Amino acid sequence: MPPSTEFTPGLTVRGIQPPLRLADYRLIAFDMDSTLINIECVDEIADAVGRKAEVAAITEAAMRGEIADFKESLRRRVALLRGVRVADMERIYAERLRLNPGAQELIAAARAAGLKTLLVSGGFTFFAERVAARLGIDFARANVLELADGQLTGRMVDQPWGDIVDGAMKRDTLLATCAQLGCAGAQAIAVGDGANDLPMMAAAGLAVAYHAKPVVRTQAHVAIDEGGLDRLLEVVRP
């Protein structure tokens, strides 16, 4: 990547010449946790069994890119969630989960410009499906937590597309969605904050880091460090 330039305070660009046009893209893909929403869901679920600090430490290391095997790190974290009740997750959704500033505005602008929207998360369908519905997102993929008698078992359920949404699956999902829409990855925008977002960001024509880890900021075309997601509209005009 070429050197970065501060476009406006808290908004950095590199390797592109703004302004760009939303209408030149066909798809915008988002990570969920700490990107579209304000929390890391796995950490908040762990809080219900008194293990938030332990799980959050693993999450933070994974997002910084310090854990090479995301799948194994997620299995370790999910195993610690055994015994959490569905009612606990309902409370997390109702009381702790909030959309990040500008999420609704950016998605509305993208949809108005004719883009399709994708949520692809290393988190869980319990939250991802609800967030996608709230925002009117067209496509969503996330991991499924296994339940028995209204409680988490500490395992995930394999899906027809694979076992866990990791960085490679995020990239493959973005490219498969582009193929479904009849466009190339170059016509996609990818927005994320952690190391497991880097593969899909590399496959997209425009990579956007939102309040991201340093390893992600340095590889993005646009880095939003202050303000909401809708600040992307200062660079990619409706």
Side-chain angles (χ1 to χ4, degrees), residues 126-173:
F126 182 91
F127 301 100
E129 290 175 354
R130 298 173 187 216
V131 170
R134 280 173 67 177
L135 290 168
I137 288 174
D138 298 296
F139 310 102
R141 176 167 289 177
N143 304 304
V144 180
L145 291 167
E146 185 180 72
L147 290 166
D149 300 321
Q151 296 184 342
L152 298 184
T153 66
R155 296 185 296 271
M156 286 171 284
V157 180
D158 287 353
Q159 300 300 297
W161 43 260
D163 53 354
I164 290 174
V165 179
D166 61 355
M169 179 55 67
K170 288 190 175 196
R171 177 199 62 219
D172 292 349
T173 302

Side-chain angles (χ1 to χ4, degrees), residues 188-203:
I189 302 169
V191 187
D193 74 303
N196 65 326
D197 297 314
L198 287 172
M200 77 166 179
M201 292 169 68

Side-chain angles (χ1 to χ4, degrees), residues 38-191:
N38 64 320
I39 61 173
E40 292 287 337
C41 291
V42 67
D43 299 353
E44 301 305 319
I45 299 170
D47 198 26
V49 285
R51 286 178 154 160
K52 182 174 180 177
E54 183 178 358
V55 169
I58 302 172
T59 300
E60 179 68 13
M63 293 304 98
R64 289 196 304 259
E66 296 168 3
I67 296 177
D69 191 338
F70 177 84
K71 289 186 178 184
E72 183 55 32
S73 82
L74 186 59
R75 290 189 188 99
R76 284 170 54 199
R77 285 175 282 167
V78 170
L80 296 171
L81 307 181
R82 183 176 179 180
V84 173
R85 299 169 300 164
V86 171
D88 296 321
M89 295 195 293
E90 294 280 4
R91 277 196 297 275
I92 291 164
Y93 179 79
E95 298 174 7
R96 303 187 187 185
L97 187 151
R98 300 290 181 266
L99 298 176
N100 271 334
Q104 291 172 300
E105 291 82 358
L106 176 56
I107 287 174
R111 291 173 66 87
L115 282 73
K116 293 295 185 181
T117 49
L118 167 66
L119 184 163
V120 58
S121 173
F124 311 113
T125 53
F126 182 91
F127 301 100
E129 290 175 354
R130 298 173 187 216
V131 170
R134 280 173 67 177
L135 290 168
I137 288 174
D138 298 296
F139 310 102
R141 176 167 289 177
N143 304 304
V144 180
L145 291 167
E146 185 180 72
L147 290 166
D149 300 321
Q151 296 184 342
L152 298 184
T153 66
R155 296 185 296 271
M156 286 171 284
V157 180
D158 287 353
Q159 300 300 297
W161 43 260
D163 53 354
I164 290 174
V165 179
D166 61 355
M169 179 55 67
K170 288 190 175 196
R171 177 199 62 219
D172 292 349
T173 302
L174 180 141
L175 292 175
T177 306
C178 284
Q180 183 178 339
L181 298 175
C183 68
Q187 291 175 280
I189 302 169
V191 187

